[in-house]
Amino acid sequence: MTQLVIVYHSRTGGSRQMAEAACHAASAETETRLLTADEATPDDLLNASGYLFCAPENLAALSGAMKEFFDRCYYPLLGRIEGRAYAQMICAGSDGTNAARQLARIATGWRLRAVQEPLIIGTHAQTPEAILAPKTLSDADLAPCRDLGQALAAGLAMGAF
């Protein structure tokens, strides 16, 4: 049986909503585990067939908690998960490309295989108050997250990835 692991970090709720939407859709296709970056372990990734990483962009970079997850898991998994499929989702106030680029570089070090371009959802939060406020993403924002989760899980289940 294939297993998709979705690892996310969220401070204001946007990334959590994205990860939950992807997880709900993916669960219809294959076994899916939703883990926070704080709780995910190297064993969780080692036992999975593929990955979906979801995080906010903070100060033009991957969020610190998500980076800590990668720091903690990187060397224990180096050379052990090569070739596995992954995708990523970034929740950003505006751009999101730097966080996506940073995550892709980490995944390249693991020799993971990107199966889709990064999905970046913009919240347009530009003031300190808007940036720190709890996020509520629209159904239109979450639809591509569901699509990505379902497609990644179906590809894993069919052996396409």
Side-chain angles (χ1 to χ4, degrees), residues 20-152:
E20 288 173 347
C23 182
H24 180 74
S27 295
E29 302 294 334
T30 194
E31 180 183 345
T32 304
R33 296 186 63 210
L34 180 65
L35 302 169
T36 65
D38 291 338
E39 67 186 349
T41 68
D43 283 342
D44 293 319
L45 273 66
L46 192 59
N47 294 321
S49 309
Y51 318 105
L52 178 55
F53 302 114
C54 181
E57 180 176 62
N58 295 136
L59 303 172
L62 199 56
S63 70
M66 195 69 172
K67 177 67 169 60
E68 193 280 330
F69 153 75
F70 285 118
D71 288 345
R72 182 170 32 84
C73 294
Y74 188 82
Y75 290 108
L77 293 173
L78 193 59
R80 300 176 73 193
I81 58 173
E82 294 175 349
R84 295 185 192 182
Y86 89 97
Q88 62 168 304
M89 301 186 300
I90 302 294
C91 187
S94 56
D95 184 50
T97 57
N98 283 336
R101 186 174 19 258
Q102 186 179 18
L103 197 155
R105 288 181 63 128
I106 294 165
T108 296
W110 270 338
R111 306 298 187 260
L112 298 179
R113 185 167 40 115
V115 296
Q116 179 176 317
E117 292 296 315
L119 174 61
I120 300 172
I121 302 296
T123 64
H124 311 291
Q126 295 299 303
T127 66
E129 296 78 20
I131 291 166
L132 295 172
K135 307 296 183 284
T136 301
L137 300 181
S138 70
D139 190 58
D141 287 332
L142 295 174
C145 303
R146 287 190 291 272
D147 292 345
L148 175 54
Q150 183 177 22
L152 180 54

